Amino acid sequence: MRRIVLLCIIATCCVSIVQAQKGLSISDFFEKPFAKATMVHVEGSELTPYHLTLYRSVSFSDTYLVVDAMEKSVLTDARLAYSKEMGNQGKRLYYAFLALPPRDGHHANRYIFYRNASLREDGKDELTLVYMEGSATMDELKKLFKK
Amino acid sequence: MEETIMINWQEVVNRYFDGETSEEEERLLRRFLATEAGQGSEFDEVRAVMSVFAAGKAVNQTRHKSRKLWPWLAAACVAGLAWLLWTGIGSSQDVCVAYVNGQKITDRNEVLALMQESWNDIEMQETGNTVEEQLTDLFNTLE
């Protein structure tokens, strides 16, 4: 009986540890609302038509405040990606489209999208980060929200 | 007076060995044995016996307490594991919220519009002039 209980305790601890490590580096930007940013969090039935389960985005207008930290986070998580499309402007990361494997025990694909529009000559001073989960493919995402 | 007290305690001790004392009498006897008057050699035997029984009772109480605790611990672990598995599977929940400069927006249409706007900002069709320019340069060089 005691052995069974001990096994239960160990199993619970292991699962807790696994759950705690599921976070990505970019998750820091979705923790709480920023004073000068636009954040979107949509989850559930609204996204079903797009074959998505989760959509989170954050856009900053004063890019200089966060560009270093955000670039670093995106590049950190890019190491986990099985598919990536990235481009630079000079030494800065201009865009990144990353496809990551599902979390342990899940089936939904994970995607990270990043765009630093301020690097374009005519671009607005804006930095956008999007995180998605779902069964949609990259091709489907290219047509996302288009009617 | 003192003699009377000793004789009385001896009587209690005799009844203790005969198994005729109540719990209260045994408790009082233990207290007496801890006093100076109860340090006499005539009480050594009863002191030794009561010590052994006291130690055995303490061990049994500890075992009894831990035996009571294990089922609750097991139940808590199973409940915790079930909760973690359930949240891991991801109980479906609908969320539709946005924050603009810290201001919370819950109007569905507004939130979805902001979602579309943010996705447009990603410009997935536009992978950057840098790639096109580089390809153009590459083909120009080959020619």
Side-chain angles (χ1 to χ4, degrees), chain B residues 40-113:
Chain B
S41 56
E42 66 271 34
F43 298 116
D44 285 349
E45 193 181 347
V46 70
R47 192 181 300 107
V49 170
M50 289 192 103
S51 300
V52 167
F53 276 116
K57 197 175 175 186
V59 167
N60 278 337
Q61 275 178 347
T62 307
R63 279 199 191 139
H64 187 60
K65 275 183 191 168
S66 62
R67 219 178 280 139
K68 274 188 178 178
L69 208 56
W70 281 108
W72 289 108
L73 212 56
C77 287
V78 169
L81 200 59
W83 178 81
L84 281 169
L85 286 171
W86 171 252
T87 54
I89 289 167
S91 53
S92 60
Q93 54 170 354
D94 280 359
V95 178
C96 191
V97 66
Y99 294 87
V100 177
N101 299 331
Q103 194 83 10
K104 187 174 181 178
I105 296 170
T106 53
D107 179 81
R108 178 187 172 271
N109 292 332
E110 275 190 66
V111 174
L112 296 182

Side-chain angles (χ1 to χ4, degrees), chain A residues 43 45-46 55 95 106 115, chain B residues 88 94-95 108 118 126-127:
Chain A
E43 199 170 340
S45 56
E46 291 287 357
Y55 182 101
Y95 69 90
H106 291 71
R115 171 75 71 174
Chain B
D94 280 359
V95 178
R108 178 187 172 271
S118 67
E126 177 59 59
T127 53

